[in-house]
Amino acid sequence: MPDIEEILSVERIDDDIYRGGAFASALRRTFGGQVAGQALVAATRTVSSEFAVHSLHGYFLRPGKPDQPAVFLVERIRDGRSFVTRRVTGVQNGETIFSMSASFHIVDDHGIEHQDSMPPAPDPETLADQQDKRDQLRGNAKVFFSEWENFDIRIVPRDRLVTNDAFAAQQRVWFRYRKPLPDDQLLHVCTLAYMSDMTLLGSSATAHRGVETQNASLDHAMWFLRPFRADDWLLYDQTSPSAGGARALTQGRIFDRAGRMVAAVTQEGLTRTGVPHSIASVTRPAT
């Protein structure tokens, strides 16, 4: 697997036009986190360093082809004194596969502060590293952990998960990038955008064990709340408040090891049943 720096490296083709790399994959379609991460990097290349991204809203419109690069077209929607807005269109073979709006906020700004408390979870070191037992994994889980071997992903087992009866479906995941990353907050932000698509849709499956579904990310919204490091442990607290009509709504709150809430994510995904297993998408495992 290539390093995340290589995955997120985009080539400037012309003014506000960038091209992302293509990487070998066992998945039938380009991983959504890769498309979103590359699109975000393209957007940031057109924004002054006085601003940092605080939110993105993306739609996955067509399945990308993993063996082909995507071209990202950036539109400069607004350049204000406090906020900057960009729209990015990802294209393959003349067709739009991804559309994203990203908003940037001036770094030196002040206001009220509060946050939710981090939910209880066992220390990540007490959980199994899936890479240590990859040869024992089967099916989607084996493909998943083989595809992202550079990411340390540790799902809290059900018997150690403190649940809330008001939530229909929930799971918690510790994750981090395994290798040390440079002290570049932009790289950590774009890495987390990539990572945020991992396991989140799987939270909807926790209420439907043994049910095979065809899965795909449909849209993805993310808010960056506080500085963090993607190569340090982050707790992904995930819930799926509703599923129906072959779509599942999922939500995630991301905390650093110190309990600071650093990001929030909302995603809707395809969860279609009645599809032969041979053509079902391999995306993310459920515990």
Side-chain angles (χ1 to χ4, degrees):
M1 181 181 180
D3 289 340
I4 193 65
E5 294 99 320
E6 183 180 354
I7 293 173
L8 295 176
S9 177
V10 297
E11 173 191 4
R12 180 182 179 275
I13 299 175
D14 204 338
D15 290 347
D16 300 343
I17 303 177
Y18 299 85
R19 179 168 53 209
F23 306 96
S25 173
L27 305 183
R28 297 180 57 199
R29 61 189 57 161
T30 307
F31 174 54
Q34 175 180 313
V35 179
Q38 290 179 344
L40 183 57
V41 172
T44 60
R45 295 283 179 86
T46 70
V47 178
S48 166
S49 60
E50 300 173 280
F51 296 86
V53 62
H54 72 91
S55 69
L56 63 84
H57 298 254
Y59 285 89
F60 300 94
L61 303 176
R62 290 183 177 89
K65 298 176 175 61
D67 60 343
Q68 298 181 21
V71 172
F72 298 95
L73 313 176
V74 182
E75 296 179 67
R76 301 179 184 235
I77 303 301
R78 178 175 183 265
D79 287 273
R81 288 177 296 181
S82 297
F83 290 90
V84 170
T85 306
R86 296 290 185 261
R87 180 181 296 128
V88 185
T89 303
V91 178
Q92 274 188 339
N93 299 320
E95 293 186 324
T96 300
I97 64 170
F98 182 68
S99 177
M100 183 185 77
S101 294
S103 182
F104 299 77
H105 186 201
I106 195 165
V107 174
D108 188 18
D109 211 347
H110 304 280
I112 63 172
E113 290 193 20
H114 65 258
Q115 69 156 73
D116 288 347
S117 298
M118 184 171 73
D123 291 336
E125 293 85 0
T126 68
L127 305 177
D129 185 345
Q130 297 299 317
Q131 294 298 336
D132 292 341
K133 56 178 184 179
R134 191 169 64 181
D135 293 341
Q136 305 172 27
L137 300 176
R138 296 292 182 269
N140 287 9
K142 185 176 182 65
V143 173
F144 178 87
F145 287 105
S146 298
E147 187 79 12
W148 293 290
E149 60 186 7
N150 287 342
F151 297 88
D152 196 342
I153 304 166
R154 307 193 184 193
I155 301 174
V156 177
R158 300 300 296 179
D159 60 358
R160 301 183 66 184
L161 183 66
V162 179
T163 60
N164 186 326
D165 291 340
F167 295 151
Q170 56 196 302
Q171 72 176 1
R172 294 191 185 105
V173 180
W174 285 103
F175 64 171
R176 64 176 176 177
Y177 190 69
R178 290 184 183 274
K179 302 177 182 179
L181 295 173
D183 294 330
D184 177 1
Q185 185 60 202
L186 174 59
L187 175 61
H188 290 268
V189 164
C190 293
T191 299
L192 187 60
Y194 181 102
M195 295 165 63
S196 65
D197 194 33
M198 297 176 175
T199 73
L200 183 55
L201 188 54
S203 65
S204 66
T206 62
H208 307 276
R209 299 186 180 283
V211 178
E212 293 287 348
T213 57
Q214 180 189 18
N215 300 328
S217 302
L218 298 176
D219 63 1
H220 196 85
M222 192 167 187
W223 294 263
F224 302 97
L225 308 174
R226 293 170 179 85
F228 61 89
R229 294 191 65 91
D231 54 0
D232 283 343
W233 285 114
L234 298 170
L235 179 66
Y236 206 169
D237 178 42
Q238 305 168 344
T239 62
S240 178
S242 178
R247 302 186 313 277
L249 179 66
T250 57
Q251 300 173 336
R253 301 179 302 164
I254 302 177
F255 298 84
D256 67 12
R257 193 76 182 264
R260 298 164 61 251
M261 186 175 176
V262 301
V265 188
T266 298
Q267 181 184 83
E268 189 176 43
L270 180 71
T271 51
R272 180 181 290 140
T273 56
V275 178
H277 180 66
S278 60
I279 66 172
S281 302
V282 178
T283 53
R284 38 187 81 71
T287 56

